[in-house]
Amino acid sequence: MPDPIDFYFDFASPYGYFASLRIDELAAKHGRTVTWRPILLGAIFKVTGMKPNLQQPLRGEYLTHDVGRIARLTGAPFTFPDSAPANGVAASRAFYWLTDDHPEQAKLLAHALFHAHFGEGRDIGPADTVAEIAAKTLGSVGIDRAAVAAAIQDPAVKDRLRTETDDAVDRGVFGSPFVFVDGEPFWGWDRLDMVDRWLATGGW
């Protein structure tokens, strides 16, 4: 069985959002699974010296134009959030609380959080909002707001997110989305076609 594809992303990243809508289908086409790994770009930027694109002259203006264009191209639901760039800490912690024992539920939550933020334009930074979305998405399997709210403050969950982000830096991750296929790195939503070709041909 081939190793899973590693999919690193930040919930604040619109490009991560667009990649999230495609990555599993792309992988399944080649008989692969995907391990989703939310990270915090804020911590990574302390290493790279970068700032969020929206806080950079010229790049910020380009991003706001580009993501709308991608949404029209792909047909993805998209509403640019007034809160962007969001704080993805609570969302990422909720994901890691679930993922070891319930990876598919964690992935459903990630999709719901991404949709709330970039599909509907909601601010997913507040822990209460993350807990609300989690309960709405996963309430049928016993996930309630109180449990999610407690998990977001759990020291072990906090440590897990820090460790995942540190490990991502050690692997060379510096942006979102970032994909590894058998150790080969690909940065950016616009590299998914290259990932597709790499998987089809075994590299070049």
Side-chain angles (χ1 to χ4, degrees):
M1 183 74 175
D3 289 338
I5 293 169
D6 283 319
F7 171 48
Y8 290 90
F9 62 92
D10 189 314
F11 281 106
S13 167
Y15 297 106
Y17 164 63
F18 292 123
S20 75
L21 299 174
R22 185 179 172 197
I23 188 67
D24 281 316
E25 182 179 359
L26 187 158
K29 173 180 163 184
H30 301 284
R32 297 289 189 111
T33 59
V34 182
T35 301
W36 288 40
R37 298 184 181 276
I39 53 171
L40 298 178
L41 285 180
I44 292 175
F45 290 160
K46 292 177 181 178
V47 178
T48 64
M50 295 288 287
K51 294 191 298 184
N53 284 332
L54 286 172
Q55 296 176 9
Q56 298 182 52
L58 305 182
R59 290 181 68 126
E61 289 84 350
Y62 178 81
L63 180 146
T64 57
H65 176 75
D66 188 43
V67 294
R69 182 171 56 192
I70 293 171
R72 294 191 300 273
L73 173 69
T74 61
F78 190 77
T79 302
F80 202 94
D82 291 337
S83 57
N87 184 333
V89 170
S92 299
R93 288 177 183 171
F95 178 94
Y96 280 121
W97 171 61
L98 283 169
T99 194
D100 286 342
D101 294 330
H102 307 287
E104 291 308 312
Q105 291 178 14
K107 199 174 291 187
L108 285 174
L109 175 59
H111 278 298
L113 290 164
F114 261 139
H115 178 77
H117 189 48
F118 289 112
E120 300 174 349
R122 296 181 62 186
D123 182 3
I124 60 167
D128 286 348
T129 302
V130 173
E132 173 203 332
I133 293 169
K136 181 178 179 181
T137 304
L138 302 172
S140 63
V141 293
I143 303 298
D144 61 30
R145 293 179 65 154
V148 179
I152 288 170
Q153 300 304 323
D154 186 329
V157 175
K158 293 180 181 181
D159 287 343
R160 172 67 179 276
L161 176 56
R162 279 192 290 266
T163 298
E164 290 283 347
T165 300
D166 289 345
D167 289 348
V169 172
D170 290 342
R171 292 189 76 179
V173 174
F174 54 83
S176 168
F178 211 103
V179 172
F180 283 93
V181 180
D182 303 327
E184 186 72 17
F186 299 88
W187 169 46
W189 170 84
D190 56 350
R191 291 296 186 269
L192 291 186
D193 286 340
M194 189 180 290
V195 170
D196 190 13
R197 178 72 176 272
W198 188 272
L199 287 164
T201 61
W204 56 84

